[in-house]
Amino acid sequence: MSEDIYAPATEVQNIAHVKSMEQYEEMYKESVNDPEIFWTKISKDFYFQKQPTGKFLNYNFDVSDGNKVFVEWMKGAVTNVCYNVLDRHVENGKKDNVCFYWEGNDPDDSKVITYGELYKQVCKFANVLKDLGIKKGDHVAIYMPMIVELVVAMLACARIGAVHSIVFGGFSSDSLAERILDGKCCLLITADGVYRGTKLVNLKDIADGALKICKEKKFEVKKTIVVCHLGPMSPPSDKKVSSPAAKRPCMSLVTNFVEGSDLWYHDVMSNASEECKPEWLDAEDPLFMLYTSGSTGKPKGVVHTQAGYMMYAATTFKYVFDYHDGDVYWCTADIGWITGHSYITYGPMANGATSVLFEGVPTYPGPERCWQVVEKYKVSKFYTAPTLIRTLMKYGDEPIKKYDRSSLKVLGSVGEPINPEAWRFYYNNIGEKKCSIVDTFWQTETGGHTMTPLPGCTPTKPGAATFPFFGIVPVLLDENGKVIEGVGEGYLVFKQPWPGIMRTIYGNHPRYEETYFTQFPGYYKTGDGAKRDKDGYIWITGRIDDMVNVSGHLLSTAAVESALVEHAKVAEAAVVSLPHKIKGETCYCFVTLIDGNTFDSELITELKHCVRTKIGPFAQPEVIQNAPGLPKTRSGKIMRRILRKIAVNNREFGDVSTMADSSVIDVLFANRPTSTS
Ligand code: WTA
């Protein structure tokens, strides 16, 4: 392991909110020793109509005493997140500040939206929702591309106290239906479609498919609001007309618009009033739910609440990107994932930041797109995933050097462990050794960054998530729950709550307790492994449960397995993660066929298709191998540890004495597809 240490960029350090490790340590100590004092001070930056009635922080992390796990920050306080991220700025003279530079899939398609303009649109849409009978506590599903109307929709929900459940636009009808059903959503907001690069995705069709499934399960979503985004179909390279009026009618793409239940966004918005008072909510009322993969295969509706989430997203944004007025920030994630929730909408907007909202694919029309956008808007803070960095590495320096990147100051990474080689490329080639790199470890469940450098003070090591953010107490535990001090490797857990921690799994609090708090009572279990080096740096080693991280998107192996076994010829399937050069990890699937069927390339294509339609295109497995038998214990449990070795062609299994029939191993090796060895 290399031990090079990189000092923070001087230009960043000079003006940073935290300029030295001493200052970080002092603030950190207060945040964990006196969290109430620390976060009370921060809460003063936000608008609360009423202060908490009881304790500022109240919680129980310990199930061993038979009590329920709960976390409450500022219970009894009254606020509204939409008010805090919009009205506050409009009232404070930031009305004309740019909130988003929207950059379309095509480089010549863009628009600018100010805080004042966004405020108006959000108020109007909040009124639309109210007119449809949506009220505090109702659940609204959002299935949209990366367009301004997506932000409008989520903030309009927040304004009236409705709970948004955003589903990433790459999920299939089945996945969308599963989330609508589990989340009991009463309204769906979508768009006609979107181009991702040259690929057209007909979102309305997929949404219709989902609603049909819901109906079959006796659950009816009464209304669907459809944004006319593409309008008459045009190939992506044609210059699009940006005036909404010119885009109508949208019928050329949306062929199954059902009058009555389907409503055009532009129609319902046309007469809506621009005034809408926010609904005042308890600090602990839910703000949104967002589904994340669960190791049983059924996704978990992670619930975040108002005040704690808002303060945590805002504070991590401020410190981790060292945000200052005048910065232009760009996060390439999709709002359909937590990174987009916290670091495109809520965190940046709570700080009154100016961001790029990017619809497209970072490598379309070419591998220089990112840097063209950086030059165009003079982006100073840039946040992306290791998988993109590895993709860009393939193209070398030329596309990077084509554009002026001198505005860049902080470069962030998220979604999966960043390999040192990609880290160095980010630092040397993209940042030209003048930027601070922040490798931010966190999860849907944590609401915001948990382990991360601060760009003005932390000396970084390529691949290390370094130290905890304010309020986070990381602990490494061994299998038996014993604390590992000093150098070592184990389960990464957090000892006490921070404001952004999830409060429950929607509709299933026991699963929340079981997943995160039962194995190690008194701690929140991340599900990731980590090691601590001699300097106390934390390095995330990856998931230690049955989860595969494909390009920063977590997938449960169980979900992929259940998609595979739905195929009529498949008897059984076992899926493990396989290291992948660009995606980080990908799925390696072993399938056992029902007797009498043949394993051939046609079947492989069909099986890949099964996963695409059941889960979504991004989940498509890399390898599908014929497995006439699977390695199992005598009690019938599949031994994934063995399968993981077979996937990488490694015969060092260790102990196989618990295996029922070890002869399957040779057969599995013989059946490995040659291209993966
Ligand atoms: C992984 C994404 C190493 C990790 C924000 C975690 C990371 C899961 C990093 C959460 C990082 C995310 N270094 N691993 N910087 N960031 N992960 O819920 O396995 O989509 O548990 O949230 O991604 O994925 P999620």
Side-chain angles (χ1 to χ4, degrees), residues 187-209:
L187 173 76
L188 173 64
I189 307 168
T190 187
D192 49 355
V194 64
Y195 274 104
R196 296 213 178 93
T198 53
K199 193 171 173 294
L200 173 67
V201 185
N202 191 329
L203 292 169
K204 175 68 165 64
D205 256 10
I206 302 171
D208 284 345

Side-chain angles (χ1 to χ4, degrees), residues 287-341:
L287 172 65
F288 67 83
M289 58 177 132
L290 178 60
Y291 282 83
T292 187
S293 299
S295 50
T296 59
K298 186 174 152 51
K300 301 172 289 202
V302 168
V303 176
H304 283 288
T305 54
Q306 308 278 326
Y309 172 80
M310 168 177 75
M311 291 198 299
Y312 200 68
T315 308
T316 45
F317 177 78
K318 173 180 166 183
Y319 287 101
V320 174
F321 298 108
D322 197 52
Y323 185 80
H324 297 274
D325 283 345
D327 271 331
V328 177
Y329 163 84
W330 180 20
C331 166
T332 66
D334 193 290
I335 292 182
W337 306 107
I338 191 67
T339 305
H341 281 62

